[in-house]
Amino acid sequence: MMRIPFNTMYNEFLRILTKTGFTEDRACLCARLFAESSLDGVYSHGVNRFPVFVDYIRRGIVRIHNRPELVSGFGPLERWEGNLGPGNLNAYECMNRAIALARAHGMGCVALRNTNHWMRGGTYGWQAAEANCLAVCFTNTLPNMPPWGATDKRVGNNPLILAVPRSGGHIVLDMAMSQFSYGKMHEYQMTGKKLPVLGGFDSSGALTDEPGSILKSGRFLPMGYWKGSGLAIMLDLFAAILSEGQSTRHLGHEGDEYGVSQVFMAWSAEKLESTQALEAITREVLDFIHDAAPEQEGGRVYYPGERTLLTRKDNREHGIPVQEAVWEQIIGL
């Protein structure tokens, strides 16, 4: 592993995106989103994913000049067409629109269809929290895990993000419906490590912590077993119905993931009766969590997003950890 300063990584992403044809403002935002995901420790959807993103651009799957367009709406609910534009830029714009609707109506919901992979889903939770909004957002994916009780892939691992703004550090949960996301599974495989807990089935149908065996079989373990499977199905339904876009059933064209459906919801904290009440409630809940007895002596119990803040601080001070082979690949793009 090597450590790359944030600005160095950002500038390298910017150089490559500019050469692919992005306008300057869109290249700057796209590079920043990739670099910030890496800064926060989500390497699987940041620096490690960047070469795949560039490949999708070159193959015409990601259409860099296309932007999302309003299709219809009423009150705080709008439906947008993604036009297969860059997934992270489409998502960032649609979350901004949900925030604007929340400031006007108290809450806002933007359903987006025909877009590309949004990279780190947590980005849009942090984005909403920074705008003093509570948020829920989710996406469907290609079928990449079996529904509970089956052996073939019919369900997406459909990530779900929830965020609550807080002056002492935002609370952000970013999770896939599989025990491990595909990106995280590849990250463990690249580093030659076993998963910390069972993550899926091998080709013989046995549960395993070997990432390579799970990637080969394609049988990821739904988090919560049947509960994660059921939640993934419901998130897919909500995303497809609200956006009038594609469900997981229609995704996975020749192994590539594009044309997905997403939902962005925001609630303005400023519209609540008292922002002091929000702070008091979050402080009370987090104090209660922090006071839990740790499993290991000297350990600590964290709330969602707390480790991200610690990782962000460490990576900003010491550089972002990157595998040398990945960085050489990026330099060569």
Side-chain angles (χ1 to χ4, degrees):
M1 302 291 287
M2 55 195 304
R3 291 268 191 169
I4 305 297
F6 174 84
N7 287 337
T8 300
M9 180 174 289
Y10 166 79
N11 287 326
E12 194 63 25
F13 290 161
L14 180 60
R15 174 189 68 81
I16 295 164
L17 293 174
T18 301
K19 286 197 172 186
T20 65
F22 273 89
T23 58
E24 182 179 358
D25 59 333
R26 286 166 66 77
C28 288
L29 177 57
C30 191
R32 178 170 68 81
L33 295 178
F34 269 105
E36 287 179 349
S37 296
S38 308
L39 182 71
D40 284 359
V42 190
Y43 316 113
S44 58
H45 291 76
V47 63
N48 292 348
R49 181 85 184 192
F50 188 78
V52 177
F53 179 70
V54 173
D55 178 60
Y56 270 39
I57 293 171
R58 290 174 173 169
R59 292 166 55 197
I61 294 173
V62 174
R63 301 171 186 176
I64 61 175
H65 299 302
N66 290 2
R67 298 185 63 172
E69 298 174 317
L70 176 65
V71 175
S72 62
F74 57 92
L77 173 63
E78 293 182 349
R79 181 177 292 131
W80 287 62
E81 162 66 41
N83 295 311
L84 292 178
N88 54 1
L89 297 186
N90 278 359
Y92 192 87
E93 186 168 343
C94 285
M95 178 52 85
N96 266 344
R97 180 56 186 161
I99 292 167
L101 288 168
R103 286 173 174 164
H105 301 282
M107 65 115 12
C109 177
V110 172
L112 174 66
R113 69 189 184 205
N114 199 32
T115 189
N116 275 299
H117 194 304
W118 63 5
M119 303 303 143
R120 175 181 66 153
T123 292
Y124 318 108
W126 290 100
Q127 177 187 350
E130 284 294 317
N132 200 25
C133 285
L134 293 83
V136 175
C137 51
F138 50 92
T139 180
N140 61 12
T141 71
L142 52 71
N144 54 22
M145 67 178 185
W148 186 252
T151 59
D152 56 332
K153 295 178 286 187
R154 299 295 178 94
V155 178
N157 63 348
N158 306 340
L160 171 67
I161 291 83
L162 297 97
V164 174
R166 174 173 169 267
S167 59
H170 305 314
I171 309 163
V172 180
L173 176 66
D174 177 2
M175 66 177 187
M177 294 301 105
S178 55
Q179 186 67 47
F180 296 92
S181 70
Y182 257 70
K184 181 60 69 172
M185 192 77 72
H186 278 290
E187 188 177 307
Y188 275 102
Q189 184 186 40
M190 288 170 62
T191 56
K193 296 178 180 178
K194 289 187 176 183
L195 304 174
V197 297
L198 298 173
F201 302 88
D202 62 21
S203 299
S204 66
L207 282 169
T208 179
D209 58 2
E210 291 283 354
S213 299
I214 299 168
L215 289 167
K216 183 179 180 181
S217 72
R219 291 187 61 190
F220 280 47
L221 181 67
M223 64 96 180
Y225 300 97
W226 53 88
K227 296 180 181 180
S229 174
L231 183 53
I233 293 168
M234 295 304 295
L235 291 173
D236 180 39
L237 281 170
F238 269 74
I241 291 169
L242 291 175
S243 69
E244 286 193 352
Q246 296 190 103
S247 68
T248 288
R249 177 180 180 272
H250 299 99
L251 300 174
H253 318 275
E254 299 179 357
D256 294 316
E257 183 178 85
Y258 58 92
V260 302
S261 305
Q262 298 170 349
V263 174
F264 304 86
M265 294 184 287
W267 291 262
S268 173
E270 296 167 3
K271 294 287 187 179
L272 299 177
E273 290 186 3
S274 172
T275 54
Q276 291 180 341
L278 185 151
E279 288 287 335
I281 292 169
T282 54
R283 182 171 60 251
E284 180 183 71
V285 170
L286 298 187
D287 286 347
F288 187 62
I289 297 299
H290 279 153
D291 287 344
E295 183 180 18
Q296 298 180 350
E297 185 176 353
R300 178 178 170 83
V301 180
Y302 296 91
Y303 63 80
E306 189 173 9
R307 287 180 183 272
T308 299
L309 295 172
L310 295 173
T311 300
R312 182 184 300 173
K313 181 177 183 295
D314 181 71
N315 284 351
R316 193 173 289 281
E317 290 178 357
H318 303 105
I320 300 166
V322 185
Q323 285 192 304
E324 188 172 347
V326 171
W327 189 245
E328 288 178 355
Q329 183 184 11
I330 290 171
I331 293 295
L333 289 175

